[in-house]
Amino acid sequence: MKLDDFRRPAHTGSNRCWPCTTVNMGLVGLLALWLYRRDRRLASLAAVVAGSLAVALRGYVVPYTPAFAPKLVAALPVPTAPFEKEPDSPRLERASLTATDLDGETILGELATAGAIEADGEVIRPAEPVDDAWHREMDRLAELPLAALAKETAATVPTIPTADPFEDGNSEWLAVEGALIARPVAVAELAAYRALSDPVTDQRVRLAGARAFRMFLDSCPVCATALTQSSEVSCCGGYTDPQTEPDDLLVCPTCEQRLYTFPN
Ligand SMILES: [Zn+2]
């Protein structure tokens, strides 16, 4: 087994969650101490080496750490400043294929006028023909190899000059102008951009609408796993300081990618 197979970039490097790391190193230390006290010195040493290596390569070693460590650290009577995450690295800033400067209300208004979305009681959802076309196209794009998806994206979306496939451990991305877009996000947006071609004539609305359509996802377009709602606080790598309201996220637990961030 190669060391790289063991790595989990989703929880290390710039994605490392410091509350998780700290709690895990503390637990590794406790285990080592416990073994040492029982005169099992070799086992104690092995626990330190294996535990530290796992935390270094994988972000954490205790299962489900992201679910409890940030809350645990937030509850401790110590300043949390050392644990605050650096602002997201520039390569992750472009989280969408099709971002425009239109605001949310304008986009939804235009989509409704075009008949692409409709109100159903309290909720809004895609109109049926658009929804069908969107899901058919997502199913097709999900089958494409990453390189083919990159090629089709650049050939279809006029604001994207080139896109390259990029793999980082188990995660798959499209690299666009130095930024990374998660594969499920690219599949959802490219499919929505196509599905909106019929009702929407304004190019800017079509681009912005493709991005907004991600909020209507209930399962991952790539692996079909049901999406879970999460907040940035309980999500490893997305720790925010206690003063700011955490954003609500739609997350694919299998791909470990976020599919939509609901604005606060
Ligand atoms: Zn997925």
Side-chain angles (χ1 to χ4, degrees), residues 3 21 105 135 160 171 183 185 198:
L3 208 55
T21 302
E105 226 165 289
H135 278 90
I160 296 202
S171 317
R183 184 179 179 186
V185 169
D198 199 19

Side-chain angles (χ1 to χ4, degrees), residues 30-149:
L30 280 179
L31 173 67
L33 191 68
W34 184 81
L35 290 166
Y36 187 83
R37 290 261 174 82
R38 265 150 200 78
D39 246 357
R40 294 174 57 188
R41 301 205 175 173
L42 261 184
S44 168
L45 185 67
V48 170
V49 172
S52 310
L53 190 69
V55 173
L57 294 178
R58 295 171 67 85
Y60 56 90
V61 57
V62 180
Y64 305 110
T65 300
F68 68 81
K71 286 184 207 126
L72 188 66
V73 171
L76 291 178
V78 294
T80 51
F83 300 117
E84 277 165 26
K85 214 173 119 61
E86 301 270 309
D88 274 349
S89 53
R91 63 165 214 176
L92 290 173
E93 260 170 28
R94 182 172 185 151
S96 165
L97 284 178
T98 56
T100 67
D101 52 3
L102 292 179
D103 68 275
E105 226 165 289
T106 308
I107 297 163
L108 293 180
E110 294 284 339
L111 289 176
T113 307
I117 59 173
E118 57 194 17
D120 179 17
E122 291 282 281
V123 298
I124 45 167
R125 61 176 189 197
E128 214 176 282
V130 178
D131 200 44
D132 289 348
W134 181 39
H135 278 90
R136 262 199 316 274
E137 187 65 5
M138 282 196 289
D139 290 346
R140 184 183 71 78
L141 293 172
E143 300 292 319
L144 290 184
L146 192 60
L149 178 67

Side-chain angles (χ1 to χ4, degrees), residues 1 3 10 18 37 64 77 89 105 142 150 158 164 166 179 197 202-203 237:
M1 177 171 155
L3 208 55
W18 287 104
R37 290 261 174 82
Y64 305 110
S89 53
E105 226 165 289
D164 296 300
F166 180 82
S197 71
D202 184 320
Q203 179 66 8

